Amino acid sequence: MTERITTVSRIAPVVKMKKLLRVAACARVSTGKDAMLHSLASQVDYYRNYICRHPGWEYVGVYADEAKTGTKDSREQFQQLLADCKAGKIDHILTKSISRMARNTVTLLETVRELKAMGITVYFEEQNIDTGTDDGELMLSILASYAQEESLSASEN
């Protein structure tokens, strides 16, 4: 009878590191007045700290435009945010409100849809809207229309 020798090796488990969600924030003030610039600095500070303290998130940056109207999509930092999204550097964007990203409904919805097609979600803090949820875009459409009307009314006054 032939004796079989069996060797048992211990195989260490493979630990998969959970990928951090790469998060950026979008901030804006519409005038260059000192009070507004202080508000912009506060927004930048708030989001930097908020993202850095959130477990599972990696801080990418705060894209902040000063003295730019939300009705134009030619804001330098906003365009840089979109470029970094297209380059695959960002997974999720935080912003204070719909009007901080854009006051023009068409621009806002086109941008959100473009980001969504790239797998990037946006969270609008004041409105508690996350574009990663099913009802997010519907709510966003309604509130963006309201923000645009508010902007037109302010311009007329």
Side-chain angles (χ1 to χ4, degrees):
M1 192 170 202
T2 310
E3 189 176 311
R4 277 198 225 174
I5 301 175
T6 306
T7 305
V8 177
S9 301
R10 181 169 186 209
I11 300 172
V14 176
V15 178
K16 241 184 179 179
M17 295 295 289
K18 187 177 178 183
K19 184 182 171 202
L20 295 176
L21 191 67
R22 297 166 299 175
V23 181
C26 176
R28 179 185 64 80
V29 292
S30 55
T31 69
K33 293 179 184 173
D34 287 344
M36 287 296 178
L37 295 179
H38 175 70
S39 169
L40 185 62
S42 295
Q43 288 179 57
V44 170
D45 249 4
Y46 168 78
Y47 283 114
R48 180 179 51 246
N49 292 327
Y50 183 75
I51 294 167
C52 288
R53 285 192 304 240
H54 198 286
W57 287 4
E58 176 185 339
Y59 174 75
V60 176
V62 178
Y63 297 78
D65 285 301
E66 57 186 63
K68 303 286 183 174
T69 177
T71 56
K72 306 271 189 263
D73 65 349
S74 61
R75 302 181 334 247
E76 188 176 313
Q77 285 294 296
F78 184 69
Q79 291 303 316
Q80 185 61 55
L81 171 70
L82 297 178
D84 287 351
C85 287
K86 289 174 186 170
K89 297 178 181 179
I90 298 168
D91 301 313
H92 187 63
I93 300 169
L94 303 174
T95 190
K96 180 180 176 184
S97 68
I98 290 170
S99 65
R100 295 300 93 194
M101 184 170 266
R103 286 196 174 159
N104 177 298
T105 305
V106 173
T107 300
L108 178 70
L109 294 175
E110 284 176 351
T111 301
V112 168
R113 287 178 183 146
E114 181 182 354
L115 292 169
K116 197 171 185 178
M118 291 185 270
I120 300 164
T121 55
V122 182
Y123 179 69
F124 299 92
E125 202 170 24
E126 282 184 4
Q127 293 84 14
N128 192 27
I129 295 175
D130 187 339
T131 63
T133 64
D134 290 337
D135 61 343
E137 190 164 340
L138 173 63
M139 288 302 297
L140 186 63
S141 298
I142 293 166
L143 292 172
S145 297
Y146 176 76
Q148 182 174 335
E149 285 305 312
E150 190 177 69
S151 177
L152 291 172
S153 177
S155 295
E156 289 172 2
N157 289 338

